[in-house]
Amino acid sequence: MPVTATDPDLADELVATVRRFVEREVLPSVAELESADRYPEELVAGLHEMGLFGATVPVDRGGLGLDTVTYARIVEELSVGWMSLAGVVNTHLIVAALIATHGTASQRERWLPRLASGEVRAALSLSEPDAGSDTRALRCAARPDGEGYVLDGTKLWVTNGERAGLVALAARAPEGITCFLVEKEPGPRSGGITVTRHIDKLGYRGVETVEMSYEGHWVPADAVLGGSGAPGGDGGEGGGLGRGLAQVLGGLELGRVNVAARGVGLARAAFETAIRYAQQRHAFGVPIAGHQAIAFKLADMATRVEAARLLVRSAAERLDRGERADVEAGMAKLFASEAAMENAAEAMRVLGGYGYTTDSPVERLYRDAPLLVIGEGTNEIQRIVVTRRLLERYSVEG
């Protein structure tokens, strides 16, 4: 359904507040936190204080009620400082959007205010060891048991998994893939749920990425997102059984806007670092920005940032109008993530040896960028999704 546009003055004020937070709190501490791969407790507390865990949650449920366009601008600013911070709120808000869109009245009443306040952190659990891009190959099982279901299986790439109090879990029930709202205690173990390992990564450090195991974990029937009835049946409110894959993949449109906005932020950070350095570093008697080889790089880098930002805005506006946005979100994610990769590499070329050292932020940007290419659906998958929808739009009959 359509989202009310955020007041422009309020949007600008929020974005400026986040920019100041990045300048004052994030940039001075990111090198130490990232190097140690330490969860940024104080910075996350700052996100909480600004209300960002409820950024897109409706106002009547305790959130800020921001439109997607404003949310994307905030994600860009966070990512200029440290992309990992945007990841902390991403899956949390995807889960909130799933509940707001597909949840029963009781699920919305119970969870949205607690998610908006940050009292409960949320995680999305879709990927598995043998089912990454092939989401229909999920093996995590939900077996009916009395007035509920028993969950068994292993999930990978769970952001916020250990600290989460709520997990939106995609599992295979007899009726088909179903999304369960699994309540848990934050920590490494809760009932039959165990965080089996923390996943070490090339970049995207500081944020919590874990593997989780479900062994005989029981959940009540009302944990089914949208109600425990079959679609069109008389059990539950509309019925969520067998609809989990469609629900989660639809929710990933917001996630792809987040990832695309992160790409804009990272590409911008790389460009801004490069253009500052190019004016200060001299070679052959002039700043290196005066050499055509460097000047052309800077022009291309700036163009990528602007083009990526416009694609993100297009996708965000479509979501705000309540329209299907798989093509636009896929295009934005595809282009912006590739722009981040290219700008990070070009920034390293501009900075030369200095860009290769840990004294420069470019080294971190260069390691962070690949996550955007593979996260929320690889770019190869984005191309498939975009092509299929374009063929539908431009179908030639006969």
Side-chain angles (χ1 to χ4, degrees), residues 148-340:
Y149 291 83
V150 173
L151 305 175
D152 288 284
T154 300
K155 292 290 186 177
L156 281 179
W157 305 110
V158 187
T159 303
N160 299 331
E162 184 166 330
R163 287 173 171 79
L166 179 68
V167 180
L169 174 78
R172 188 174 295 280
E175 298 82 0
I177 295 174
T178 299
C179 184
F180 293 88
L181 299 176
V182 182
E183 186 174 8
K184 63 180 282 291
E185 290 295 325
R189 182 181 292 274
S190 177
I193 307 172
T194 304
V195 174
T196 46
R197 67 184 176 107
H198 286 252
I199 300 173
D200 292 327
K201 307 179 295 294
L202 170 71
Y204 195 45
R205 297 163 65 81
V207 69
E208 180 183 280
T209 309
V210 302
E211 176 185 87
M212 297 177 70
S213 173
Y214 292 77
E215 296 183 9
H217 186 77
W218 187 86
V219 294
D222 63 10
V224 174
L225 177 65
S228 58
D234 57 4
E237 299 176 38
L241 289 172
R243 298 177 58 202
L245 193 57
Q247 291 168 341
V248 172
L249 293 181
L252 287 179
E253 290 182 8
L254 178 64
R256 284 169 184 154
V257 169
N258 174 293
V259 170
R262 282 191 247 177
V264 177
L266 196 152
R268 182 180 130 200
F271 163 70
E272 291 178 349
T273 301
I275 198 167
R276 284 194 296 266
Y277 183 86
Q279 296 173 79
Q280 297 167 349
R281 175 77 163 88
H282 287 65
F284 307 105
V286 298
I288 62 173
H291 296 292
Q292 194 174 77
I294 300 300
F296 282 8
K297 290 183 184 296
L298 297 174
D300 287 345
M301 292 171 75
T303 300
R304 289 188 198 103
V305 173
E306 291 301 317
R309 184 181 290 122
L310 290 171
L311 281 168
V312 171
R313 185 177 185 91
S314 173
E317 288 175 342
R318 196 172 181 94
L319 283 176
D320 286 337
R321 292 195 299 268
E323 300 174 4
R324 184 173 177 178
D326 51 352
V327 169
E328 289 72 19
M331 286 179 170
K333 191 269 182 186
L334 170 62
F335 187 89
S337 60
E338 296 291 350

Side-chain angles (χ1 to χ4, degrees), residues 61-180:
R61 298 294 182 177
L64 297 180
L66 301 180
D67 60 20
T68 314
V69 171
T70 305
Y71 172 56
R73 293 176 63 192
I74 287 172
V75 169
E76 176 186 334
E77 294 298 331
L78 288 175
S79 301
V80 169
W82 190 15
M83 189 187 79
S84 293
L85 291 177
V88 172
V89 298
N90 181 33
T91 54
H92 177 90
L93 289 175
I94 291 175
V95 174
L98 287 173
I99 295 172
T101 304
H102 303 289
T104 64
S106 61
Q107 288 169 345
R108 295 193 297 271
E109 181 178 355
R110 180 184 183 190
W111 291 114
L112 289 180
R114 299 169 71 191
L115 293 174
S117 69
E119 172 195 345
V120 173
R121 304 278 175 82
L124 178 68
S125 194
L126 178 62
S127 295
E128 297 182 2
D130 297 318
S133 297
D134 186 5
T135 52
R136 296 185 183 277
L138 295 180
R139 298 175 64 183
C140 184
R143 174 173 53 84
D145 183 78
E147 297 298 316
Y149 291 83
V150 173
L151 305 175
D152 288 284
T154 300
K155 292 290 186 177
L156 281 179
W157 305 110
V158 187
T159 303
N160 299 331
E162 184 166 330
R163 287 173 171 79
L166 179 68
V167 180
L169 174 78
R172 188 174 295 280
E175 298 82 0
I177 295 174
T178 299
C179 184
F180 293 88

Side-chain angles (χ1 to χ4, degrees), residues 26-43:
V26 179
L27 292 177
S29 60
V30 60
E32 179 183 351
L33 290 168
E34 202 271 346
S35 177
D37 196 13
R38 187 164 72 246
Y39 189 80
E41 296 282 2
E42 293 184 1
L43 297 182

